[in-house]
Amino acid sequence: QYIGNNPLMLKQFSKEFQIEYAKKHLKERGFKKKALRWTKDMGEFTVCFFLQGSSYNKEDYYIRPGVWINAVGTDSYYGHFITEIQQTTTEAVMTEFDEFVRIWTDKGHIKRIVDEFLVWDKRNPLEKRRAGEVDYEKDPFPSRVCFSIPQNAMKFILEHFD
């Protein structure tokens, strides 16, 4: 999977290769597969591993895990908490997915990160961000995931998570 003999230069592995690896990994953990989406209801949360094809190139795809808060609903396409995992190795992708699920199904962690994000957001409102007036190195945001949390999920977290 390397370009030449250089382990720092990984070739992009095929979607089919990732599907086969993910299928085994996720089936062992109780996930159900529908098309290129694996989901698992974990009680308070539903988690998803989604391989999404690119609309620009049939060979390209995106790895987009998501987590829904079941009490808020699972009708959003990607989840209330979403990210994208870069294609490195199949093992690394699944390890990163497992870590994402561990973190974003921990109510205490979610509440702490959301609280930190709201404080950061007050210091750096959208107008300031759009104007390029935020120094993200000096004042980094707590998590990129927070930018995609829908308002109804944010409200639920603030009211129900400790």
Side-chain angles (χ1 to χ4, degrees):
Q1 289 189 350
Y2 302 121
I3 297 174
N5 291 323
N6 185 346
L8 299 176
M9 300 293 289
L10 291 165
K11 290 182 185 177
Q12 178 178 330
F13 45 87
S14 72
K15 182 166 46 173
E16 292 74 23
F17 188 75
Q18 181 62 58
I19 289 168
E20 288 307 310
Y21 192 86
K23 189 186 315 182
K24 180 180 183 299
H25 181 87
L26 297 168
K27 187 175 183 179
E28 289 172 356
R29 288 160 177 75
F31 283 75
K32 305 291 184 214
K33 182 179 182 283
K34 182 177 181 182
L36 294 178
R37 185 184 301 259
W38 288 263
T39 58
K40 181 178 180 180
D41 185 327
M42 299 177 67
E44 293 183 278
F45 300 96
T46 294
V47 298
C48 171
F49 182 86
F50 182 36
L51 294 178
Q52 183 178 28
S54 168
S55 57
Y56 301 105
N57 181 341
K58 287 185 178 187
E59 301 301 314
D60 288 343
Y61 65 97
Y62 306 98
I63 303 166
R64 295 199 165 131
V67 175
W68 288 270
I69 303 167
N70 288 340
V72 177
T74 58
D75 55 338
S76 64
Y77 193 69
Y78 294 109
H80 300 121
F81 314 116
I82 60 174
T83 193
E84 185 171 322
I85 296 176
Q86 297 304 309
Q87 300 171 30
T88 51
T89 67
T90 51
E91 296 86 359
V93 166
M94 299 316 297
T95 298
E96 191 171 338
F97 171 70
D98 289 342
E99 183 65 6
F100 177 79
V101 169
R102 185 188 67 73
I103 289 170
W104 292 99
T105 58
D106 177 332
K107 290 167 45 172
H109 169 82
I110 294 166
K111 177 71 163 89
R112 182 180 55 77
I113 293 296
V114 165
D115 286 345
E116 289 174 13
F117 178 77
L118 293 174
V119 169
W120 179 89
D121 189 52
K122 281 187 179 173
R123 277 194 317 271
N124 302 290
L126 184 57
E127 299 77 28
K128 189 175 172 183
R129 298 191 307 257
R130 284 184 175 160
E133 298 171 359
V134 175
D135 184 340
Y136 293 99
E137 287 187 24
K138 289 183 180 173
D139 192 8
F141 46 84
S143 173
R144 181 173 300 281
V145 172
C146 292
F147 288 105
S148 63
I149 300 173
Q151 289 301 312
N152 62 339
M154 189 73 79
K155 183 176 187 291
F156 185 87
I157 292 163
L158 295 172
E159 292 173 356
H160 298 282
F161 286 17
D162 294 324

PDB file of all heavy atoms in Angstrom, residues 119-142:
ATOM      1  N   VAL A 119     -18.334  29.256  24.886  1.00  0.00           N
ATOM      2  CA  VAL A 119     -17.500  30.346  25.401  1.00  0.00           C
ATOM      3  C   VAL A 119     -16.605  30.870  24.269  1.00  0.00           C
ATOM      4  O   VAL A 119     -16.477  32.083  24.067  1.00  0.00           O
ATOM      5  CB  VAL A 119     -16.663  29.873  26.614  1.00  0.00           C
ATOM      6  CG1 VAL A 119     -15.599  30.892  26.989  1.00  0.00           C
ATOM      7  CG2 VAL A 119     -17.569  29.553  27.790  1.00  0.00           C
ATOM      8  N   TRP A 120     -15.987  29.947  23.525  1.00  0.00           N
ATOM      9  CA  TRP A 120     -15.132  30.330  22.398  1.00  0.00           C
ATOM     10  C   TRP A 120     -15.936  31.107  21.351  1.00  0.00           C
ATOM     11  O   TRP A 120     -15.491  32.124  20.825  1.00  0.00           O
ATOM     12  CB  TRP A 120     -14.507  29.076  21.771  1.00  0.00           C
ATOM     13  CG  TRP A 120     -13.630  29.370  20.601  1.00  0.00           C
ATOM     14  CD1 TRP A 120     -12.298  29.643  20.620  1.00  0.00           C
ATOM     15  CD2 TRP A 120     -14.036  29.460  19.228  1.00  0.00           C
ATOM     16  NE1 TRP A 120     -11.836  29.890  19.349  1.00  0.00           N
ATOM     17  CE2 TRP A 120     -12.896  29.777  18.476  1.00  0.00           C
ATOM     18  CE3 TRP A 120     -15.240  29.297  18.563  1.00  0.00           C
ATOM     19  CZ2 TRP A 120     -12.927  29.935  17.096  1.00  0.00           C
ATOM     20  CZ3 TRP A 120     -15.279  29.452  17.189  1.00  0.00           C
ATOM     21  CH2 TRP A 120     -14.125  29.772  16.466  1.00  0.00           C
ATOM     22  N   ASP A 121     -17.153  30.618  21.068  1.00  0.00           N
ATOM     23  CA  ASP A 121     -18.021  31.242  20.065  1.00  0.00           C
ATOM     24  C   ASP A 121     -18.410  32.669  20.457  1.00  0.00           C
ATOM     25  O   ASP A 121     -18.513  33.544  19.595  1.00  0.00           O
ATOM     26  CB  ASP A 121     -19.268  30.376  19.864  1.00  0.00           C
ATOM     27  CG  ASP A 121     -20.115  30.825  18.698  1.00  0.00           C
ATOM     28  OD1 ASP A 121     -19.569  30.980  17.590  1.00  0.00           O
ATOM     29  OD2 ASP A 121     -21.335  31.019  18.887  1.00  0.00           O
ATOM     30  N   LYS A 122     -18.591  32.916  21.739  1.00  0.00           N
ATOM     31  CA  LYS A 122     -18.904  34.289  22.197  1.00  0.00           C
ATOM     32  C   LYS A 122     -17.715  35.225  21.955  1.00  0.00           C
ATOM     33  O   LYS A 122     -17.894  36.389  21.605  1.00  0.00           O
ATOM     34  CB  LYS A 122     -19.286  34.298  23.677  1.00  0.00           C
ATOM     35  CG  LYS A 122     -20.700  33.862  23.897  1.00  0.00           C
ATOM     36  CD  LYS A 122     -21.128  34.020  25.332  1.00  0.00           C
ATOM     37  CE  LYS A 122     -22.571  33.564  25.429  1.00  0.00           C
ATOM     38  NZ  LYS A 122     -23.086  33.510  26.747  1.00  0.00           N
ATOM     39  N   ARG A 123     -16.506  34.701  22.169  1.00  0.00           N
ATOM     40  CA  ARG A 123     -15.300  35.511  21.915  1.00  0.00           C
ATOM     41  C   ARG A 123     -15.074  35.712  20.416  1.00  0.00           C
ATOM     42  O   ARG A 123     -14.471  36.692  20.002  1.00  0.00           O
ATOM     43  CB  ARG A 123     -14.055  34.789  22.469  1.00  0.00           C
ATOM     44  CG  ARG A 123     -13.777  34.962  23.893  1.00  0.00           C
ATOM     45  CD  ARG A 123     -12.367  34.500  24.266  1.00  0.00           C
ATOM     46  NE  ARG A 123     -11.910  33.252  23.674  1.00  0.00           N
ATOM     47  CZ  ARG A 123     -12.095  32.042  24.196  1.00  0.00           C
ATOM     48  NH1 ARG A 123     -12.757  31.890  25.329  1.00  0.00           N
ATOM     49  NH2 ARG A 123     -11.615  30.975  23.597  1.00  0.00           N
ATOM     50  N   ASN A 124     -15.524  34.740  19.634  1.00  0.00           N
ATOM     51  CA  ASN A 124     -15.240  34.725  18.198  1.00  0.00           C
ATOM     52  C   ASN A 124     -16.520  34.510  17.396  1.00  0.00           C
ATOM     53  O   ASN A 124     -16.702  33.468  16.762  1.00  0.00           O
ATOM     54  CB  ASN A 124     -14.246  33.602  17.883  1.00  0.00           C
ATOM     55  CG  ASN A 124     -12.958  33.757  18.640  1.00  0.00           C
ATOM     56  OD1 ASN A 124     -12.176  34.653  18.372  1.00  0.00           O
ATOM     57  ND2 ASN A 124     -12.736  32.888  19.616  1.00  0.00           N
ATOM     58  N   PRO A 125     -17.419  35.495  17.409  1.00  0.00           N
ATOM     59  CA  PRO A 125     -18.687  35.322  16.696  1.00  0.00           C
ATOM     60  C   PRO A 125     -18.472  35.143  15.189  1.00  0.00           C
ATOM     61  O   PRO A 125     -17.410  35.473  14.651  1.00  0.00           O
ATOM     62  CB  PRO A 125     -19.461  36.599  17.004  1.00  0.00           C
ATOM     63  CG  PRO A 125     -18.434  37.581  17.412  1.00  0.00           C
ATOM     64  CD  PRO A 125     -17.300  36.809  18.009  1.00  0.00           C
ATOM     65  N   LEU A 126     -19.491  34.628  14.542  1.00  0.00           N
ATOM     66  CA  LEU A 126     -19.423  34.317  13.115  1.00  0.00           C
ATOM     67  C   LEU A 126     -18.947  35.521  12.292  1.00  0.00           C
ATOM     68  O   LEU A 126     -18.130  35.365  11.380  1.00  0.00           O
ATOM     69  CB  LEU A 126     -20.791  33.838  12.626  1.00  0.00           C
ATOM     70  CG  LEU A 126     -20.872  33.376  11.175  1.00  0.00           C
ATOM     71  CD1 LEU A 126     -19.880  32.247  10.908  1.00  0.00           C
ATOM     72  CD2 LEU A 126     -22.290  32.923  10.854  1.00  0.00           C
ATOM     73  N   GLU A 127     -19.424  36.710  12.608  1.00  0.00           N
ATOM     74  CA  GLU A 127     -19.025  37.901  11.856  1.00  0.00           C
ATOM     75  C   GLU A 127     -17.510  38.107  11.926  1.00  0.00           C
ATOM     76  O   GLU A 127     -16.866  38.443  10.930  1.00  0.00           O
ATOM     77  CB  GLU A 127     -19.735  39.158  12.399  1.00  0.00           C
ATOM     78  CG  GLU A 127     -21.242  39.112  12.317  1.00  0.00           C
ATOM     79  CD  GLU A 127     -21.898  38.244  13.400  1.00  0.00           C
ATOM     80  OE1 GLU A 127     -21.319  38.091  14.506  1.00  0.00           O
ATOM     81  OE2 GLU A 127     -22.979  37.698  13.114  1.00  0.00           O
ATOM     82  N   LYS A 128     -16.967  37.910  13.099  1.00  0.00           N
ATOM     83  CA  LYS A 128     -15.517  38.054  13.300  1.00  0.00           C
ATOM     84  C   LYS A 128     -14.766  36.958  12.535  1.00  0.00           C
ATOM     85  O   LYS A 128     -13.732  37.223  11.921  1.00  0.00           O
ATOM     86  CB  LYS A 128     -15.228  37.971  14.804  1.00  0.00           C
ATOM     87  CG  LYS A 128     -13.830  38.312  15.206  1.00  0.00           C
ATOM     88  CD  LYS A 128     -13.708  38.308  16.734  1.00  0.00           C
ATOM     89  CE  LYS A 128     -12.269  38.449  17.164  1.00  0.00           C
ATOM     90  NZ  LYS A 128     -12.124  38.384  18.618  1.00  0.00           N
ATOM     91  N   ARG A 129     -15.298  35.750  12.547  1.00  0.00           N
ATOM     92  CA  ARG A 129     -14.658  34.637  11.824  1.00  0.00           C
ATOM     93  C   ARG A 129     -14.707  34.896  10.320  1.00  0.00           C
ATOM     94  O   ARG A 129     -13.716  34.680   9.623  1.00  0.00           O
ATOM     95  CB  ARG A 129     -15.327  33.310  12.181  1.00  0.00           C
ATOM     96  CG  ARG A 129     -15.189  32.974  13.665  1.00  0.00           C
ATOM     97  CD  ARG A 129     -15.578  31.580  14.042  1.00  0.00           C
ATOM     98  NE  ARG A 129     -16.868  31.094  13.645  1.00  0.00           N
ATOM     99  CZ  ARG A 129     -17.926  30.974  14.442  1.00  0.00           C
ATOM    100  NH1 ARG A 129     -17.849  31.360  15.713  1.00  0.00           N
ATOM    101  NH2 ARG A 129     -19.048  30.463  13.994  1.00  0.00           N
ATOM    102  N   ARG A 130     -15.850  35.331   9.830  1.00  0.00           N
ATOM    103  CA  ARG A 130     -15.983  35.609   8.388  1.00  0.00           C
ATOM    104  C   ARG A 130     -15.066  36.748   7.937  1.00  0.00           C
ATOM    105  O   ARG A 130     -14.609  36.760   6.802  1.00  0.00           O
ATOM    106  CB  ARG A 130     -17.433  35.954   8.044  1.00  0.00           C
ATOM    107  CG  ARG A 130     -18.319  34.745   8.014  1.00  0.00           C
ATOM    108  CD  ARG A 130     -19.708  35.099   7.569  1.00  0.00           C
ATOM    109  NE  ARG A 130     -20.508  33.899   7.426  1.00  0.00           N
ATOM    110  CZ  ARG A 130     -21.824  33.897   7.433  1.00  0.00           C
ATOM    111  NH1 ARG A 130     -22.503  35.025   7.576  1.00  0.00           N
ATOM    112  NH2 ARG A 130     -22.482  32.774   7.293  1.00  0.00           N
ATOM    113  N   ALA A 131     -14.828  37.696   8.805  1.00  0.00           N
ATOM    114  CA  ALA A 131     -13.961  38.832   8.472  1.00  0.00           C
ATOM    115  C   ALA A 131     -12.476  38.479   8.587  1.00  0.00           C
ATOM    116  O   ALA A 131     -11.618  39.313   8.315  1.00  0.00           O
ATOM    117  CB  ALA A 131     -14.292  40.016   9.378  1.00  0.00           C
ATOM    118  N   GLY A 132     -12.179  37.247   8.989  1.00  0.00           N
ATOM    119  CA  GLY A 132     -10.787  36.829   9.118  1.00  0.00           C
ATOM    120  C   GLY A 132     -10.087  37.429  10.317  1.00  0.00           C
ATOM    121  O   GLY A 132      -8.868  37.562  10.333  1.00  0.00           O
ATOM    122  N   GLU A 133     -10.854  37.786  11.340  1.00  0.00           N
ATOM    123  CA  GLU A 133     -10.296  38.459  12.514  1.00  0.00           C
ATOM    124  C   GLU A 133     -10.010  37.521  13.682  1.00  0.00           C
ATOM    125  O   GLU A 133      -9.767  37.986  14.787  1.00  0.00           O
ATOM    126  CB  GLU A 133     -11.267  39.561  12.963  1.00  0.00           C
ATOM    127  CG  GLU A 133     -11.481  40.633  11.924  1.00  0.00           C
ATOM    128  CD  GLU A 133     -12.603  41.588  12.281  1.00  0.00           C
ATOM    129  OE1 GLU A 133     -13.250  41.415  13.337  1.00  0.00           O
ATOM    130  OE2 GLU A 133     -12.837  42.514  11.483  1.00  0.00           O
ATOM    131  N   VAL A 134     -10.039  36.226  13.445  1.00  0.00           N
ATOM    132  CA  VAL A 134      -9.774  35.262  14.513  1.00  0.00           C
ATOM    133  C   VAL A 134      -8.411  34.626  14.273  1.00  0.00           C
ATOM    134  O   VAL A 134      -8.113  34.157  13.173  1.00  0.00           O
ATOM    135  CB  VAL A 134     -10.866  34.157  14.557  1.00  0.00           C
ATOM    136  CG1 VAL A 134     -10.521  33.099  15.594  1.00  0.00           C
ATOM    137  CG2 VAL A 134     -12.221  34.772  14.834  1.00  0.00           C
ATOM    138  N   ASP A 135      -7.588  34.616  15.294  1.00  0.00           N
ATOM    139  CA  ASP A 135      -6.300  33.931  15.230  1.00  0.00           C
ATOM    140  C   ASP A 135      -6.498  32.540  15.840  1.00  0.00           C
ATOM    141  O   ASP A 135      -6.477  32.376  17.059  1.00  0.00           O
ATOM    142  CB  ASP A 135      -5.238  34.719  15.997  1.00  0.00           C
ATOM    143  CG  ASP A 135      -3.853  34.105  15.877  1.00  0.00           C
ATOM    144  OD1 ASP A 135      -3.743  32.904  15.536  1.00  0.00           O
ATOM    145  OD2 ASP A 135      -2.871  34.835  16.118  1.00  0.00           O
ATOM    146  N   TYR A 136      -6.708  31.558  14.976  1.00  0.00           N
ATOM    147  CA  TYR A 136      -7.023  30.207  15.434  1.00  0.00           C
ATOM    148  C   TYR A 136      -5.846  29.522  16.131  1.00  0.00           C
ATOM    149  O   TYR A 136      -6.056  28.589  16.901  1.00  0.00           O
ATOM    150  CB  TYR A 136      -7.509  29.347  14.264  1.00  0.00           C
ATOM    151  CG  TYR A 136      -8.846  29.807  13.709  1.00  0.00           C
ATOM    152  CD1 TYR A 136      -8.910  30.605  12.574  1.00  0.00           C
ATOM    153  CD2 TYR A 136     -10.027  29.459  14.341  1.00  0.00           C
ATOM    154  CE1 TYR A 136     -10.130  31.037  12.066  1.00  0.00           C
ATOM    155  CE2 TYR A 136     -11.249  29.890  13.854  1.00  0.00           C
ATOM    156  CZ  TYR A 136     -11.295  30.674  12.715  1.00  0.00           C
ATOM    157  OH  TYR A 136     -12.500  31.103  12.232  1.00  0.00           O
ATOM    158  N   GLU A 137      -4.641  29.985  15.875  1.00  0.00           N
ATOM    159  CA  GLU A 137      -3.491  29.414  16.580  1.00  0.00           C
ATOM    160  C   GLU A 137      -3.436  29.904  18.019  1.00  0.00           C
ATOM    161  O   GLU A 137      -3.134  29.145  18.924  1.00  0.00           O
ATOM    162  CB  GLU A 137      -2.196  29.728  15.835  1.00  0.00           C
ATOM    163  CG  GLU A 137      -2.057  28.910  14.562  1.00  0.00           C
ATOM    164  CD  GLU A 137      -0.702  29.086  13.909  1.00  0.00           C
ATOM    165  OE1 GLU A 137       0.266  29.444  14.617  1.00  0.00           O
ATOM    166  OE2 GLU A 137      -0.624  28.854  12.691  1.00  0.00           O
ATOM    167  N   LYS A 138      -3.729  31.180  18.232  1.00  0.00           N
ATOM    168  CA  LYS A 138      -3.712  31.739  19.583  1.00  0.00           C
ATOM    169  C   LYS A 138      -4.996  31.416  20.347  1.00  0.00           C
ATOM    170  O   LYS A 138      -4.990  31.364  21.571  1.00  0.00           O
ATOM    171  CB  LYS A 138      -3.528  33.255  19.542  1.00  0.00           C
ATOM    172  CG  LYS A 138      -2.142  33.674  19.125  1.00  0.00           C
ATOM    173  CD  LYS A 138      -1.985  35.163  19.165  1.00  0.00           C
ATOM    174  CE  LYS A 138      -0.586  35.570  18.739  1.00  0.00           C
ATOM    175  NZ  LYS A 138      -0.461  37.016  18.623  1.00  0.00           N
ATOM    176  N   ASP A 139      -6.091  31.214  19.616  1.00  0.00           N
ATOM    177  CA  ASP A 139      -7.383  30.945  20.243  1.00  0.00           C
ATOM    178  C   ASP A 139      -8.089  29.803  19.491  1.00  0.00           C
ATOM    179  O   ASP A 139      -9.060  30.028  18.772  1.00  0.00           O
ATOM    180  CB  ASP A 139      -8.242  32.212  20.228  1.00  0.00           C
ATOM    181  CG  ASP A 139      -9.479  32.090  21.104  1.00  0.00           C
ATOM    182  OD1 ASP A 139      -9.605  31.097  21.843  1.00  0.00           O
ATOM    183  OD2 ASP A 139     -10.327  32.997  21.040  1.00  0.00           O
ATOM    184  N   PRO A 140      -7.580  28.579  19.640  1.00  0.00           N
ATOM    185  CA  PRO A 140      -8.163  27.456  18.901  1.00  0.00           C
ATOM    186  C   PRO A 140      -9.544  27.069  19.435  1.00  0.00           C
ATOM    187  O   PRO A 140      -9.832  27.228  20.613  1.00  0.00           O
ATOM    188  CB  PRO A 140      -7.161  26.320  19.127  1.00  0.00           C
ATOM    189  CG  PRO A 140      -6.501  26.654  20.419  1.00  0.00           C
ATOM    190  CD  PRO A 140      -6.477  28.166  20.499  1.00  0.00           C
ATOM    191  N   PHE A 141     -10.387  26.587  18.537  1.00  0.00           N
ATOM    192  CA  PHE A 141     -11.710  26.113  18.963  1.00  0.00           C
ATOM    193  C   PHE A 141     -11.551  24.726  19.586  1.00  0.00           C
ATOM    194  O   PHE A 141     -10.621  23.991  19.263  1.00  0.00           O
ATOM    195  CB  PHE A 141     -12.697  26.091  17.787  1.00  0.00           C
ATOM    196  CG  PHE A 141     -12.157  25.476  16.527  1.00  0.00           C
ATOM    197  CD1 PHE A 141     -12.177  24.101  16.331  1.00  0.00           C
ATOM    198  CD2 PHE A 141     -11.626  26.280  15.535  1.00  0.00           C
ATOM    199  CE1 PHE A 141     -11.677  23.544  15.177  1.00  0.00           C
ATOM    200  CE2 PHE A 141     -11.122  25.729  14.368  1.00  0.00           C
ATOM    201  CZ  PHE A 141     -11.154  24.354  14.184  1.00  0.00           C
ATOM    202  N   PRO A 142     -12.451  24.341  20.504  1.00  0.00           N
ATOM    203  CA  PRO A 142     -12.305  23.082  21.239  1.00  0.00           C
ATOM    204  C   PRO A 142     -12.437  21.833  20.369  1.00  0.00           C
ATOM    205  O   PRO A 142     -11.778  20.837  20.613  1.00  0.00           O
ATOM    206  CB  PRO A 142     -13.410  23.109  22.276  1.00  0.00           C
ATOM    207  CG  PRO A 142     -14.082  24.413  22.164  1.00  0.00           C
ATOM    208  CD  PRO A 142     -13.552  25.142  21.000  1.00  0.00           C
TER     209      PRO A 142
END
